[in-house]
Amino acid sequence: MYEKFADEYDHFVNWHSRLAFEMPFITTQLKSIEAQKGQPLAILDAACGSGMHAIALAELGYKVSGADLYPEMIGKAQSNATQARQDVHFQSAGFGQLSHAFGSGKFNALLCLGNSLPHATSELALSETLADFHNCLKEGSLLLIQNRNFDQVLAKKERWMEPQAKSENGSEWVFMRFYDFEADGLIRFNILTLKREQGAMWQTNLTSTFLKPLTKDYLDTQLTQAGFKDIVAYGNMDGSEFNPETSPNLILTARK
C-alpha cells in the first residue's frame, strides 16, 4: 500500500497542524528520560513514513534515526530532511528488523506513531515486533506508541473516518478512509484518493492494507510479556485520560 502512496503521503497529512498538536506531548515525554551526560537523546522513529516527526525532533537537537519498511517512504523522508537541512539517519527496515539494522541497546527512546503498530497483523508478528523494540532500547528508555482507539472502533463498528482534502499549485486531493471488518478479526484499511489537475476530471485510486485491531488490554499484556513496565495510557496527544468509549486514540508510554 504505502510504496504506492509515498508520493501522496504529505498531501494526505496536514503536517503543520499535526506537529503543532503532537510535538509538545512527545517532547514532554522525552524530557522524562536522561541521556548520557553531555550527549543528546538518541531516538528511533519506527515506521517513520515521510520522516516529518523525525525531522521535527532533529530540529530540537535530538539525535534521530528513522526506519520504514518501504524504500519509497525512506526516499521521501530523506528528501524532506534535505529540504529542512536536518541530519537524520534514515534506513529501510521493517518491524522485527530494527535491532539488526541499527544495533541493540542504541536508543533512549523509540516512537511508533501514526497507527503503525497494527500493521503487525498476527500475534507472532506483534510479539516479534515488541521484542525488537525492547532490544533496540537502552535500560530505562522510553517507548511511545500512538494507535487508533480500537476499543471504540470494534464496539461501534465505525467504518468511516473524516475525509481530508488539500489544494496546492492548481492540484486538488480528496482522501476518503474507511474500514472493512474481516471475518478473521482483521480490519482492511482503505484509502480512496481523488485527484485532479487544474479543474480537469477527477482521477481515483484505491489502496488497501490489513490491520490488527489492538485493544488497550491486549496491548498492555503484550507489552508486559515483551519486558516493558510502567505502562501509562492516554486518550490523545493532549495528554487526556484514556476512555475506551470516547477517546480518539490510544497513546501508550512504557519503559524498558
Side-chain angles (χ1 to χ4, degrees), residues 6-7 9-10 15 45 47-56 58-59 64-93 102:
D7 289 339
Y9 191 75
D10 286 338
W15 284 112
D45 184 3
C48 67
S50 62
M52 300 303 282
H53 284 98
I55 293 165
E59 290 174 339
V64 189
S65 299
D68 200 277
L69 175 63
Y70 299 99
E72 295 85 355
M73 295 301 289
I74 290 297
K76 187 68 174 178
Q78 290 173 332
S79 175
N80 286 336
T82 298
Q83 186 175 355
R85 298 182 180 180
Q86 294 299 319
D87 182 17
V88 182
H89 174 210
F90 290 110
Q91 188 169 339
S92 180
F102 294 93

Side-chain angles (χ1 to χ4, degrees), residues 199-220:
M201 295 292 292
W202 289 98
Q203 303 296 313
T204 63
N205 183 51
L206 178 67
T207 54
S208 303
T209 192
F210 287 103
L211 305 175
K212 183 176 179 64
L214 303 175
T215 60
K216 177 186 177 297
D217 289 346
Y218 177 75
L219 193 48
D220 278 349

Side-chain angles (χ1 to χ4, degrees), residues 2-245:
Y2 297 101
E3 72 276 18
K4 300 176 182 178
F5 196 53
D7 289 339
E8 307 290 355
Y9 191 75
D10 286 338
H11 300 295
F12 168 65
V13 180
N14 184 333
W15 284 112
H16 178 77
S17 296
R18 180 172 175 181
L19 292 174
F21 178 67
E22 295 182 353
M23 288 301 293
F25 178 86
I26 293 171
T27 55
T28 295
Q29 297 301 318
L30 292 173
K31 288 174 183 176
S32 70
I33 55 178
E34 295 183 3
Q36 187 176 355
K37 188 175 181 179
Q39 298 293 321
L41 289 177
I43 302 168
L44 175 60
D45 184 3
C48 67
S50 62
M52 300 303 282
H53 284 98
I55 293 165
L57 289 165
E59 290 174 339
L60 295 175
Y62 295 105
K63 182 181 178 182
V64 189
S65 299
D68 200 277
L69 175 63
Y70 299 99
E72 295 85 355
M73 295 301 289
I74 290 297
K76 187 68 174 178
Q78 290 173 332
S79 175
N80 286 336
T82 298
Q83 186 175 355
R85 298 182 180 180
Q86 294 299 319
D87 182 17
V88 182
H89 174 210
F90 290 110
Q91 188 169 339
S92 180
F95 293 157
Q97 305 168 343
L98 301 174
S99 55
H100 176 75
F102 294 93
S104 300
K106 296 291 186 181
F107 297 100
N108 303 104
L110 190 150
L111 312 181
C112 186
L113 308 175
N115 204 47
S116 297
L117 187 58
H119 291 82
T121 55
S122 69
E123 186 164 333
L124 176 60
L126 179 62
S127 63
E128 290 177 345
T129 296
L130 296 179
D132 189 29
F133 287 177
H134 193 272
N135 199 28
C136 285
L137 291 167
K138 299 178 181 181
E139 292 297 325
S141 295
L142 171 74
L143 173 65
L144 195 160
I145 296 170
Q146 178 194 38
N147 288 349
R148 282 210 74 194
N149 176 9
F150 284 107
D151 289 84
Q152 181 190 57
V153 170
L154 292 175
K156 296 184 177 181
K157 286 293 189 289
E158 293 182 342
R159 293 193 66 197
W160 291 90
M161 286 161 272
E162 184 177 353
Q164 295 174 265
K166 184 171 182 177
S167 299
E168 183 179 86
N169 299 325
S171 298
E172 293 181 80
W173 294 264
V174 178
F175 301 96
M176 310 288 291
R177 298 169 295 161
F178 61 98
Y179 288 149
D180 294 316
F181 295 91
E182 302 295 327
D184 60 3
L186 296 182
I187 291 175
R188 187 193 299 269
F189 174 46
N190 307 284
I191 301 179
L192 177 63
T193 303
L194 294 83
K195 182 180 179 180
R196 68 175 178 176
E197 306 283 354
Q198 302 290 343
M201 295 292 292
W202 289 98
Q203 303 296 313
T204 63
N205 183 51
L206 178 67
T207 54
S208 303
T209 192
F210 287 103
L211 305 175
K212 183 176 179 64
L214 303 175
T215 60
K216 177 186 177 297
D217 289 346
Y218 177 75
L219 193 48
D220 278 349
T221 299
Q222 295 299 312
L223 285 166
T224 300
Q225 290 178 354
F228 288 99
K229 58 188 178 181
D230 300 332
I231 302 168
V232 180
Y234 303 90
N236 211 343
M237 287 279 196
D238 57 6
S240 58
E241 183 178 354
F242 177 71
N243 184 317
E245 297 179 357

